[in-house]
Amino acid sequence: MLIFGGVVISLVAGLFHADAASANDHVASFTEYARSDVWIGVHLGQFVGMALFAGGMIALLAALNLPQGGLALTARFGALSAAVAIALYGALQAVDGVALKHAVNAWASAAEPEKAMRFVSAEGIRWLEWGMRSYYSFLFGSALIISGVVILATRRVSRTIGILMGLSGVSYLAQGWIIGAEGFAAANAVPTLFGIILTVVWTVWLLISAWRLKERAGPAA
């Protein structure tokens, strides 16, 4: 429920994200961001959603109750990757959701002689966002791949869920590379969409599987 709830909250918050302009067109996108009255709230919602998602992944790996050994160590690496990823995501949202918003507001309202300086400041924050999002994507993608491998090895959860989880992790790795190299380029659209679809599918499947397990276990569960 943590994982599924996190996905829902992230997707709902994303619906209110200002994204009509190309994110790599900084003049157009910064103008749009400056006009957004819900920018900070949207990014706070996205952070809450991702925190729930990562927390659910850590709980899932713990619930597999693996005996000591190589697989248990692998699961710990997956949980650690998820924990570090959400810490980095919090820093990312502070940069994108707060610092960038104030920077573009200052640029939009600045007198003409100051505008160039303000724009350079906002653009520097944007590039910092690229770097943080790139490494967050690498870490969270790794956490998903490791978790998928653990699920495949234990077979306590549907192996298909593990495969889809791993593939969604690969899409995060692709996003991390593209954003680091090109920013929010059009090339990032395919792995992003691919990752969203896969994540929605496996999280819904996992939720249904968990309910069925609970029903089979009986009231004592």
Side-chain angles (χ1 to χ4, degrees), residues 17 30 114:
H17 192 289
F30 289 175
E114 295 181 28

Side-chain angles (χ1 to χ4, degrees), residues 23-150:
N24 267 10
D25 182 343
H26 291 166
V27 173
S29 60
F30 289 175
T31 300
E32 185 180 15
Y33 301 164
R35 292 172 179 166
S36 175
D37 295 326
V38 295
W39 184 265
I40 293 175
V42 165
H43 288 77
L44 177 59
Q46 290 178 324
F47 171 70
V48 171
M50 287 305 304
L52 291 174
F53 192 144
M57 286 182 59
I58 294 169
L60 173 62
L61 291 169
L64 293 175
N65 196 26
L66 299 172
Q68 292 298 319
L71 196 58
L73 185 61
T74 302
R76 290 194 189 98
F77 274 115
L80 180 61
S81 297
V84 175
I86 194 56
L88 186 56
Y89 191 77
L92 165 65
Q93 294 303 79
V95 169
D96 183 16
V98 179
L100 181 60
K101 173 60 174 171
H102 289 294
V104 298
N105 283 358
W107 166 70
S109 61
E112 195 60 39
E114 295 181 28
K115 275 194 176 293
M117 179 187 69
R118 294 292 187 182
F119 183 79
V120 169
S121 174
E123 202 167 40
I125 294 172
R126 173 63 112 189
W127 291 330
L128 177 61
E129 179 194 353
W130 286 4
M132 297 186 76
R133 185 172 291 275
S134 174
Y135 272 76
Y136 154 73
S137 298
F138 285 139
L139 269 172
F140 200 65
S142 297
L144 288 166
I145 292 171
I146 292 170
S147 300
V149 169
V150 171

